[in-house]
Amino acid sequence: MKFTWFNLMPWPHLPDDFREKNRSVWVDIDQALFDPARCHEVYNDYLDLLEYADQLGFDGVGINEHHQNGYGLMPSPNIMAASLARRTSNAAVVVLGNSIALYNPPIRVAEEFAMLDIMTGGRFVAGFPVGTSMDTNYCYGTIPGLTREKYAEAHELIIRAWTEKKPFAFNGRYTKLRHVNLWPNVLQTPHPPIHIPGGGSVETYDFCLDNTYSYSYLSFSGYLRAKALMEGYWNRVGQRNADQSPYRAGFAQTVFVAETDEEAERLYSEHAFYFYNRCLHVYPGFADAPGYRTIKTIQSGALNQYMRPNYPTLTWKDLVDGGYIIAGSPETVRQRFEELIKGLHVGNIFLLLHVGNMPKDKCMYSTKLFAEKVMPHLRHLYPEHASDNRFWCKPIPRRATPAPVGHAEMVPAQ
Amino acid sequence: MITARKIETRAAEVNVLTGGTGPDLLFLHNAGGVTAENPFLLALASKHRVFAPQLPGYGDSGDSDNIRDMLDVTLHSFDVLEALGLDKPILVGHSLGGMIAAEMAAIRPREVGKLCLIASAGLWLDDYPVPDIFTLLPREFPAYMFHDAAAGAKMMATGGNMNDPAFLIPFLVTNARQLGMAGKFLFPIPDRGLKERIHRIRARTILVWGDSDRIFPAPYAQAFKALIQGAELVSIPDAGHQVVLEQTDAVMAAIARLG
């Protein structure tokens, strides 16, 4: 199993009446609610937490890209990844990912990911999301009906830039480059493993299978509701006669660990409510620009998760019983995760252990309990697939380490 | 009586609504599309031999991945004219249709002699930012589209329950097909450079605008008037962006001025 400690990096200072007084946490969120000096502290705390996860032995530390919102403060996850490259040593740096249709030219992603791959010594996992409609269409102005074509072209260009070891010309519809020749280029061969966040479209299932990419379902509605979608994926894997390695799939789950179930509710319920009620308060008109999703996907009935549920009415008990969150004592959490891992047949778990406005100390408490009392019991599920390394990074064995800060003055060798 | 016929262009199979007798008139619909029951289409057919091609993605026209930008849809529209065997029909376009009609008249000025642009898209004025129609919820449309929002809401009523997947999914599919196509010309800002070409228009041009248009308010009408040589503006009271539905007779009278 691969456990990635994932931080969305939410803005933790949305007011109590945010939902009543604002129409959306995304796209047109009120500038007056942002405070750069407080964000300085927030970024520092969030990076501390990711580094802490590395020290506790999580397999990966994960970050992602969103724009103009209070849900996740990372327009550029690559900047965070560069910082993590220096201050983490064992965990994979999982950038899940860059919305490749938004970069002009998209070789910018190929270049920055190559830099990160090298800086981490191959401790790097890449992700290529299409991006939410809020980000891709409403914030970055990509025409909805052309988004997927642009994405496909960007993907082709990036993979060719990583794998063709000589200069080539790229005559795309959206990008025309006479000389593509990445320098530096990626460390891992043929390139870093790629995870694709998806929301239930058959086209994305096939894209992952065609390219040996891991399909990740990044849901906030939890593993019980994810069952139908993941079954659709595994059915497709079966139809295509591909192997059933659980590492072909990933799943994100919100999780809280305490000594007891009661303590979990007492410590964490306010942060769960903050997340579901404020961070996910997206104006429905921004959730799904017409033309963003394919007709096939709409016909499959897979509705966009940002426009679907009515979270404010959910109590802690509803969130726990409905599987939106996994919360409780280490034993409770272990049992629920085993259900999740086996039920969805997933090998890559993205743990949302930081949630909403959770302060650093509580998050470290929950994280440590997960690392010490939950993770060891889950680590060795799927032993028959333990050697499948197609979907995870392959670091070089001898990696350079940062010199200690303030080290002694160096004298050049004679 | 409106009937439908299918023609082929390189881009798509096109469903053309047609009817009436009189001078030939090509009507290009707005981002909401046009159906055979549209009262304005019926009014046009009472005075003209009208042809209303549905854009790819709309109604019974096919989808087209080959139409991506303004030039594609403009040339496609000329291909439609060609396939219908029409020679210099009166060209009438509403909103998105006006934007396409204006491009046609600018790109091939000698082939468009009579032009009527109704509440046309195609320009952007920083002082009057156009509402983002791609973020509007169904219940929000009437207030933007009509002078009389309550009456407009009745006209636009879908008659379906959005919580019922049997209604919702086909509704979303239609929306995705139609606005997915319209977005190629209107998203995120409905300006594809018409102002660089609009001076080429030679057609006798009538501009028709509802006084209460909340999508393209009055300064847009003035901007079109200033940019098209000799254009005549007919402003219509008690009408919003859907002036064709709210004041059909007044719009017909304005079109009649083209002779």
Side-chain angles (χ1 to χ4, degrees), chain A residues 59 155 384:
Chain A
D59 300 285
H155 168 258
E384 67 279 26

Side-chain angles (χ1 to χ4, degrees), chain B:
Chain B
M1 160 84 179
I2 302 291
T3 57
R5 59 181 280 204
K6 294 272 172 66
I7 57 164
E8 290 275 347
T9 70
R10 178 178 172 273
E13 185 182 58
V14 178
N15 190 51
V16 183
L17 303 175
T18 185
T21 52
D24 286 348
L25 184 148
L26 185 76
F27 174 62
L28 301 182
H29 62 76
N30 63 21
V34 66
T35 62
E37 297 75 38
N38 184 292
F40 180 59
L41 185 65
L42 293 167
L44 288 171
S46 70
K47 298 266 171 48
H48 305 87
R49 187 164 76 122
V50 69
F51 298 87
Q54 292 176 315
L55 271 176
Y58 283 76
D60 291 329
S61 286
D63 293 309
S64 177
D65 292 334
N66 290 321
I67 294 181
R68 296 181 179 83
D69 62 20
M70 206 60 219
L71 182 61
D72 292 341
V73 75
T74 305
L75 297 182
H76 163 78
S77 303
F78 277 115
D79 291 347
V80 168
L81 274 188
E82 190 77 31
L84 290 170
L86 296 175
D87 181 34
K88 293 183 80 173
I90 300 168
L91 190 49
V92 177
H94 178 214
S95 195
L96 168 61
M99 183 178 183
I100 298 168
E103 284 284 355
M104 291 173 75
I107 283 183
R108 290 163 88 170
R110 290 172 195 281
E111 293 181 31
V112 180
K114 292 177 180 175
L115 176 66
C116 177
L117 304 179
I118 304 165
S120 184
L123 299 178
W124 175 265
L125 304 172
D126 281 339
D127 291 338
Y128 301 93
V130 174
D132 186 352
I133 61 159
F134 294 94
T135 67
L136 297 181
L137 306 180
R139 64 169 188 274
E140 295 176 311
F141 268 96
Y144 282 95
M145 293 294 164
F146 293 91
H147 170 77
D148 182 341
K154 277 186 200 149
M155 266 189 257
M156 287 185 80
T158 57
N161 174 7
M162 292 287 182
N163 295 319
D164 174 8
F167 175 79
L168 179 64
I169 290 176
F171 175 85
L172 291 175
V173 166
T174 300
N175 209 37
R177 286 185 77 217
Q178 295 188 163
L179 290 182
M181 177 57 68
K184 295 175 180 178
F185 326 115
L186 302 176
F187 189 96
I189 285 185
D191 175 359
R192 296 294 188 268
L194 176 64
K195 66 177 179 300
E196 311 297 335
R197 301 179 284 275
I198 195 169
H199 65 277
R200 293 167 46 92
I201 294 177
R202 292 181 169 208
R204 158 114 173 96
T205 303
I206 298 280
L207 304 167
V208 177
W209 238 268
D211 280 350
S212 328
D213 194 321
R214 287 188 62 201
I215 301 292
F216 303 114
Y220 282 89
Q222 295 300 335
F224 272 97
K225 187 169 188 298
L227 291 168
I228 301 175
Q229 210 176 6
E232 189 183 328
L233 172 61
V234 177
S235 295
I236 299 179
D238 300 329
H241 190 63
Q242 282 288 13
V243 57
V244 293
L245 299 180
E246 289 187 294
Q247 300 296 342
T248 310
D249 292 346
V251 177
M252 289 303 296
I255 294 170
R257 295 175 69 84
L258 287 169

